[in-house]
Amino acid sequence: MWQGIEGHDAVVARFRRALERRRLASTFLFVGPPGVGKRSFALALAKSLLCERRDEALLDPCGICPSCVQVEAGTHPDLYVLGLPEGKSSIPIKLLIGEDETRMREGLCYDISLKPFMGNRKVAILDDADYFNTPAVANCLLKTLEEPPPRSVIILIGTSATKQLPTIRSRAQLVRFEPLSQETVARLLVEKQLVADAAEANRLAAFSEGSLSRAIELSDPELWRFRGELLAKLAGEPIENFRLAPSVVAFVDAAGKEAPPRRARARLLIGFAISFYRRLLYRQVADDAPRTGDRFAGDDDAERHVSAALKRGQKDPEATAARIERSLEALSHIDRNANQATLLEAWLDDLRLARSGALVEV
């Protein structure tokens, strides 16, 4: 474990080698599942690079010098941390190049071009890089990435390299962060007192896909109650949308008035559907195969609904594959400026249409 960050020793070793050889790149793209520590790693790396007392190649900041203290407090003048503002669906261009009246005289691209205030480095961390979803925003970074200021390091943080524009990918070194182990997620849930007991931590970790933030999102008991209702409806053939769609929309809306918690809940519900259909597809094409090592084992509730779906006639793997594909498409649209209710209703209606004997292009 490095600087309190779990599961990424290989990434630490990579940076140590680069620093020992004095060959640290100027731009990195951190990608991996949400909630695995990418942002924490970036901040710890910045702390190591800006520390005034320790050789940066050690990746072992002292923690007590003025630079370390200011990094911890979020006030270091040579560290810039930007992310998606609350309520926004994309990174505003003004964060990079300033307002219209001060264009190119403020914003990240201007700030990082200045000489360091305290040491001999500047570090910029751009969280939520998945939301550079317009060429105009990404293009604002290109000159800075092509001609980075001396002794500067820019770290972009996203979930997948494929979500970045080619102009961004080609100018950054890719650093992949793997999901955390189930054991690590469960232990962190207990250590951070995020769950009541170890049994609950293990249950949530099993569904977390290696993400601590996802495990925390899944800790809501109401979510699991509604999951059972959702899977029961998806197991029907045909799906009764006149009942399901209103209940899904209402449950998403109940997450709060702000868009981020509603989007998070919608992502979880669509994720439940994807997991259900993947399990169903597995049973449809490999039901006679040995179950040893079944990656879906351990979720008896979902298994019950899958068995019900098979009994009710959901036996067409092509229809199930189409439902998975449509669900993945809906998941990719959650963070766009689409009407959430309309998106969910259209998604559920397409699931209904992609049934055995009535397969449509979705």
Side-chain angles (χ1 to χ4, degrees):
M1 183 170 66
W2 174 71
Q3 301 296 313
I5 299 170
E6 300 269 2
H8 305 301
D9 292 345
V11 180
V12 176
R14 171 178 173 175
F15 275 98
R16 279 208 174 102
R17 287 194 299 270
L19 286 164
E20 287 168 357
R21 298 168 184 170
R22 306 301 180 194
R23 299 189 63 177
L24 186 69
S26 59
T27 306
F28 296 93
L29 174 59
F30 288 6
V31 298
V36 299
K38 301 186 298 295
R39 188 176 189 275
S40 297
F41 191 101
L43 288 169
L45 177 62
K47 188 176 178 181
S48 298
L49 296 176
L50 295 172
C51 179
E52 299 173 13
R53 297 188 178 182
R54 300 276 178 84
D55 184 344
E56 62 182 23
L58 298 174
L59 284 183
D60 184 26
C62 70
I64 58 175
C65 71
S67 283
C68 286
V69 172
Q70 286 183 295
V71 170
E72 286 286 344
T75 59
H76 198 293
D78 295 324
L79 174 62
Y80 308 95
V81 182
L82 300 181
L84 184 70
E86 187 173 343
K88 298 291 185 180
S89 60
S90 63
I91 302 289
I93 197 169
K94 66 181 181 181
L95 294 181
L96 302 178
I97 58 175
E99 302 281 1
D100 290 342
E101 60 273 14
T102 56
R103 189 59 47 98
M104 299 310 298
R105 298 196 304 277
E106 64 176 19
L108 175 70
C109 294
Y110 172 78
D111 291 336
I112 202 167
S113 70
L114 302 175
K115 291 183 179 180
F117 287 94
M118 292 182 61
N120 61 356
R121 274 200 189 277
K122 278 182 172 282
V123 181
I125 299 172
L126 285 78
D127 207 351
D128 305 310
D130 291 352
Y131 300 96
F132 292 141
N133 53 9
T134 63
V137 173
N139 288 338
C140 291
L141 276 175
L142 290 186
K143 183 173 177 57
T144 301
L145 300 184
E146 288 172 346
E147 302 175 12
R151 303 289 291 175
S152 65
V153 175
I154 300 173
I155 301 171
L156 311 175
I157 303 175
T159 58
S160 170
T162 60
K163 290 187 177 181
Q164 316 306 318
L165 293 172
T167 50
I168 297 291
R169 292 200 304 268
S170 64
R171 289 163 175 81
Q173 280 199 9
L174 188 66
V175 181
R176 297 187 184 278
F177 285 73
E178 298 298 325
L180 301 175
S181 69
Q182 182 175 324
E183 294 76 14
T184 297
V185 173
R187 178 166 50 78
L188 290 174
L189 287 171
V190 174
E191 289 178 356
K192 295 177 181 292
Q193 299 182 340
L194 297 170
V195 295
D197 54 51
E200 177 67 0
N202 288 325
R203 185 179 74 88
L204 295 176
F207 289 91
S208 70
E209 299 178 1
S211 166
L212 180 61
S213 61
R214 178 176 170 84
I216 295 170
E217 288 177 341
L218 290 169
S219 63
D220 180 4
E222 278 298 298
L223 187 65
W224 291 95
R225 179 196 62 78
F226 192 81
R227 176 184 186 257
E229 294 181 11
L230 174 65
L231 297 190
K233 293 291 194 300
L234 295 180
E237 186 73 359
I239 298 171
E240 297 181 348
N241 257 14
F242 67 95
R243 293 178 180 173
L244 180 57
S247 64
V248 167
V249 171
F251 187 70
V252 168
D253 286 344
K257 294 182 179 180
E258 301 297 324
R262 293 203 305 271
R263 288 183 184 133
R265 182 167 282 189
R267 280 194 294 269
L268 287 173
L269 293 184
I270 295 174
F272 287 152
I274 292 170
S275 179
F276 168 79
Y277 284 125
R278 282 175 173 165
R279 179 190 294 262
L280 177 60
L281 183 62
Y282 179 86
R283 288 283 302 276
Q284 288 169 338
V285 301
D287 197 34
D288 294 332
R291 306 308 294 275
T292 303
D294 181 356
R295 65 190 181 97
F296 297 121
D299 186 0
D300 294 337
D301 187 47
E303 187 63 30
R304 177 169 56 83
H305 291 298
V306 166
S307 296
L310 291 168
K311 290 179 181 178
R312 293 169 185 169
Q314 290 196 40
K315 298 181 179 180
D316 184 350
E318 290 187 8
T320 303
R323 284 168 165 163
I324 294 171
E325 183 177 354
R326 180 63 182 88
S327 298
L328 290 169
E329 180 187 15
L331 194 61
S332 71
H333 291 166
I334 287 294
D335 290 309
R336 300 181 185 177
N337 285 325
N339 181 281
Q340 204 92 136
T342 302
L343 186 153
L344 292 169
E345 289 169 357
W347 163 61
L348 291 168
D349 198 46
D350 286 342
L351 295 187
R352 178 183 62 83
L353 292 172
R355 65 185 185 274
S356 299
L359 186 62
V360 297
E361 188 74 23
V362 296

